[in-house]
Amino acid sequence: MKFDLGGANGGYVPGTDIFLSYARQDRPTARMFADCLREEGFDVWWDASLRSGQTFDEEIERNLRDSKAVVVLWSPASVASRWVRAEATLADRRNKLAPAIIQPCDRPIIFELTHTTDLSDWTGELTDMRWQTFVHDLRRLVEAKLGDSSTPEPEPQPSARQPLRPGYDDVILAKQPSPSPPLRRAAAPPPIVEEPAPLGDMHCLEFEDLKAAGIVIDKSGVKIGRTSPADIVLSDRSVSREHCMIGLANDELIVTDLNSTNGTYVDGVRISRATILPVGSTVRLGEVSLKHALRSRGDAEGRGGSPGASRGRGMEPGRLAATS
């Protein structure tokens, strides 16, 4: 991601976003990943960046240490590589491991419990929902590391919250919206004129079993799960920690399961890859069901949803408002 991290120095970019770890036999695939990650806006370092005269192992160790995320490409060749195992272990210890499967393989047992994106049949298509989910997670990881490197701010005091009513008020947001900075007073400010909202129907997911506001899906998409860092948190035991990703492409909702325990179903059929969710169809996450509906902007806002509602704009901070 294009952050102000300083310029290149002899081929070494301080604070590189992503270190790419792979086996030599997988070099063509690694090049495809590096090129696509750069197209997504990341600064990427891999050993093809080495220049003549640089010390091989020192440069690798330095970039591995200073990167914000380490993308490990698992394949039969990389599983057998001591270098890749060592790089993955160091990344895991520093909480910046982002693995992906590029060929079917049995990962080292220590990494079997780490969530790993399966891109074994990915061909470099940037609009693929699995790739977009992977990039979504990488952005979070890089941004978290940027936050860790900045001056820590005082932790906010927890706000008072009424107990949730089982079955109703248990749909919450993963993150509180950041407080707005104080406004500076200006002499005789001009009147603020609000622009009319754009017209057109909005894609909504409406809960079938909960009296809660729906979720408006925009082009940025949402990840749904039981806990953070999901965008939408459903506190239901049948929902996995990271259950599924729902995005908008070509004016259609696309659902991708994230290796959930109880599965993701579209109209009663369990899905194994990115699947279109037609208008009027139902997506089920464990025991929670949501129906895809098109609503006008006024209708969506009247039901408690708004564009970006999944991120807390225009709603009570910290949760999706429930109705009685």
Side-chain angles (χ1 to χ4, degrees):
M1 304 173 75
K2 301 305 181 184
F3 302 108
D4 185 14
L5 298 171
N9 181 12
Y12 167 61
V13 182
T16 300
D17 292 337
I18 295 173
F19 178 98
L20 191 59
S21 175
Y22 69 99
R24 181 68 57 182
Q25 297 92 320
D26 300 324
R27 190 179 183 86
T29 301
R31 182 178 297 278
M32 180 179 70
F33 269 77
D35 291 343
C36 290
L37 287 170
R38 289 192 181 106
E39 286 192 44
E40 296 287 356
F42 294 102
D43 293 320
V44 182
W45 191 96
W46 61 312
D47 58 14
S49 306
L50 286 169
R51 293 186 178 182
S52 177
Q54 292 178 320
T55 306
F56 183 79
D57 56 346
E58 291 181 359
E59 284 298 311
I60 288 180
E61 290 178 12
R62 182 163 54 174
N63 283 279
L64 178 62
R65 180 182 64 249
D66 293 344
S67 64
K68 299 173 186 66
V70 176
V71 172
V72 175
L73 304 182
W74 287 124
S75 69
S78 62
V79 167
S81 169
R82 295 180 62 186
W83 275 98
V84 175
R85 285 173 177 258
E87 290 163 358
T89 300
L90 188 147
D92 189 46
R93 288 175 181 171
R94 298 193 176 191
N95 297 316
K96 56 182 182 179
L97 176 63
I101 296 174
I102 60 172
Q103 293 181 27
C105 61
D106 293 326
R107 287 168 286 158
I109 191 169
I110 191 174
F111 300 113
E112 282 292 342
L113 297 180
T114 302
H115 173 68
T116 304
T117 303
D118 188 354
L119 296 172
S120 56
D121 59 351
W122 180 62
T123 58
E125 179 58 52
L126 298 183
T127 59
D128 190 305
M129 282 301 298
R130 294 168 301 168
W131 171 255
Q132 285 301 314
T133 300
F134 184 62
V135 169
H136 179 86
D137 292 340
L138 277 176
R139 292 193 196 284
R140 286 181 174 273
L141 189 54
V142 170
E143 290 170 1
K145 290 300 178 182
L146 279 173
D148 291 343
S149 62
S150 61
T151 304
E153 299 180 356
E155 294 185 2
Q157 295 296 323
S159 58
R161 179 180 172 88
Q162 296 297 322
L164 298 176
R165 294 182 294 165
Y168 286 85
D169 216 11
D170 54 355
V171 182
I172 64 176
L173 289 178
K175 296 190 297 185
Q176 298 282 350
S178 302
S180 301
L183 298 176
R184 294 184 299 174
R185 292 184 177 274
I192 299 175
V193 179
E194 294 186 358
E195 297 182 358
L199 301 177
D201 290 334
M202 307 177 70
H203 292 269
C204 302
L205 290 178
E206 300 176 348
F207 295 90
E208 292 192 335
D209 302 323
L210 301 177
K211 294 182 179 179
I215 306 167
V216 175
I217 307 296
D218 57 23
K219 63 180 180 180
S220 61
V222 294
K223 180 188 288 185
I224 303 179
R226 194 176 65 251
T227 62
S228 298
D231 299 308
I232 298 295
V233 175
L234 304 179
S235 54
D236 189 294
R237 291 183 179 180
S238 64
V239 177
S240 294
R241 186 174 65 88
E242 293 183 339
H243 200 104
C244 72
M245 184 81 179
I246 300 181
L248 183 62
N250 297 325
D251 202 34
E252 291 184 312
L253 286 192
I254 309 295
V255 184
T256 306
D257 184 72
L258 300 178
N259 297 323
S260 62
T261 300
N262 293 321
T264 301
Y265 295 79
V266 171
D267 290 335
V269 178
R270 186 165 185 168
I271 64 174
S272 58
R273 58 178 57 208
T275 302
I276 294 176
L277 180 66
V279 175
S281 292
T282 298
V283 58
R284 177 162 58 86
L285 289 62
E287 297 179 0
V288 178
S289 296
L290 303 99
K291 187 174 183 178
H292 179 194
L294 283 179
R295 301 289 181 190
S296 66
R297 179 174 295 274
D299 191 13
E301 293 177 351
R303 292 169 177 262
S306 62
S310 60
R311 292 161 182 78
R313 297 198 296 271
M315 306 188 73
E316 181 179 347
R319 64 185 177 91
L320 292 175
T323 58
S324 57

